[in-house]
């Protein structure tokens, strides 16, 4: 992961940077993060989780989206993040025909790699908590664990067999099925 720190960047320049590279480009607190394309294992896990979540949240009148642009704001309505989570679940979404979704995801899922572990576990966890995301799942294919944060209560659980949602009763996923 390449980090370009302390560079204030306009929205236009940020979008131009995204267009000029095949890397995933995100902005967190005025720091630009660039990540190479995901591995096949990453994409396979992402597909399995997305398929599972989509089937579950549809009955809850929520929308599961993969790899979309999410713009996040602090309590003063100042933009502090332009990110592309692996999976986002929106339960109060308005318009999905935009370049950037400005609504706050209810759940965000990130699948970490060695190059994204710091950003996903530290920087993004802090960003998501500050901006009102309620639940954050961090899937680690190397350790074969899922960490689930409940930002409403600041609780964190690390699951090795079955991961459970804090927000949705009955939402659980068997880890064995993800990593095969």
């Amino acid at each position: 992961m390449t980090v370009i720190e302390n560079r204030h960047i306009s929205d236009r320049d940020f979008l131009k940077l995204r267009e000029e590279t095949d890397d995933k480009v995100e902005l967190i607190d005025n720091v630009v993060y660039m990540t190479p394309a995901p591995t096949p294992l990453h994409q396979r896990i992402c597909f399995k989780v997305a398929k599972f979540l989509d089937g579950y949240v549809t009955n809850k009148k929520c929308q599961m989206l993969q790899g979309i642009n999410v713009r996040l704001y602090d309590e003063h309505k100042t933009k502090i993040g332009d990110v592309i989570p692996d999976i986002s679940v929106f339960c109060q979404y308005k318009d999905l025909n935009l370049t950037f979704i400005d609504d706050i995801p209810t759940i965000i899922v990130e699948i970490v790699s060695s190059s994204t572990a710091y950003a996903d576990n530290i920087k993004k966890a802090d960003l998501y908590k500050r901006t009102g995301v309620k639940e954050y799942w961090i899937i680690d294919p190397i350790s074969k664990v899922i960490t689930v944060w409940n930002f409403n209560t600041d609780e964190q659980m690390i699951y090795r067999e079955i991961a459970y949602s804090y927000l949705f009763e009955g939402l659980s996923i068997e880890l064995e099925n993800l990593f095969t």
Side-chain angles (χ1 to χ4, degrees):
M1 171 180 285
T2 303
V3 178
I4 305 170
E5 291 192 55
N6 299 321
R7 177 181 168 203
H8 292 275
I9 188 168
S10 70
D11 281 342
R12 193 171 98 204
D13 287 343
F14 179 71
L15 291 174
K16 185 178 178 186
L17 180 60
R18 276 192 172 169
E19 290 172 4
E20 292 175 348
T21 182
D22 291 331
D23 291 344
K24 179 172 151 182
V25 180
E26 299 178 299
L27 185 70
I28 302 171
D29 294 321
N30 288 318
V31 177
V32 175
Y33 292 84
M34 298 176 70
T35 308
T39 65
L41 176 61
H42 176 282
Q43 291 302 86
R44 183 73 183 142
I45 293 168
C46 191
F47 172 78
K48 288 180 179 183
V49 173
K51 184 177 172 186
F52 178 79
L53 283 176
D54 189 52
Y56 183 86
V57 302
T58 299
N59 297 331
K60 306 293 183 197
K61 306 240 188 294
C62 298
Q63 180 77 37
M64 183 286 308
L65 300 168
Q66 286 183 266
I68 52 125
N69 298 309
V70 177
R71 186 163 279 164
L72 298 168
Y73 301 88
D74 66 14
E75 69 275 2
H76 305 292
K77 304 296 180 203
T78 302
K79 181 184 75 167
I80 59 173
D82 279 321
V83 293
I84 307 172
D86 290 318
I87 300 169
S88 303
V89 174
F90 294 89
C91 293
Q92 299 177 32
Y93 59 93
K94 297 173 190 115
D95 186 357
L96 299 181
N97 293 313
L98 302 170
T99 302
F100 287 92
I101 303 295
D102 285 325
D103 296 325
I104 300 168
T106 302
I107 297 175
I108 289 182
V109 178
E110 296 281 9
I111 300 150
V112 302
S113 67
S114 57
S115 67
T116 66
Y118 174 74
D120 289 338
N121 284 291
I122 305 298
K123 294 304 220 173
K124 287 185 178 181
D126 177 63
L127 175 72
Y128 297 157
K129 182 178 179 178
R130 288 186 289 137
T131 57
V133 173
K134 293 183 170 110
E135 190 167 288
Y136 179 38
W137 293 29
I138 304 168
I139 300 175
D140 185 338
I142 296 168
S143 299
K144 296 186 177 177
V145 299
I146 296 179
T147 303
V148 179
W149 281 92
N150 177 350
F151 289 139
N152 291 332
T153 62
D154 210 25
E155 292 178 77
Q156 176 190 39
M157 289 295 296
I158 299 172
Y159 297 103
R160 298 185 187 288
E161 294 178 14
I162 301 173
Y164 298 92
S165 170
Y166 288 99
L167 298 177
F168 293 109
E169 187 176 327
L171 173 57
S172 63
I173 189 165
E174 292 182 28
L175 278 65
E176 181 180 7
N177 297 331
L178 288 185
F179 305 116
T180 56

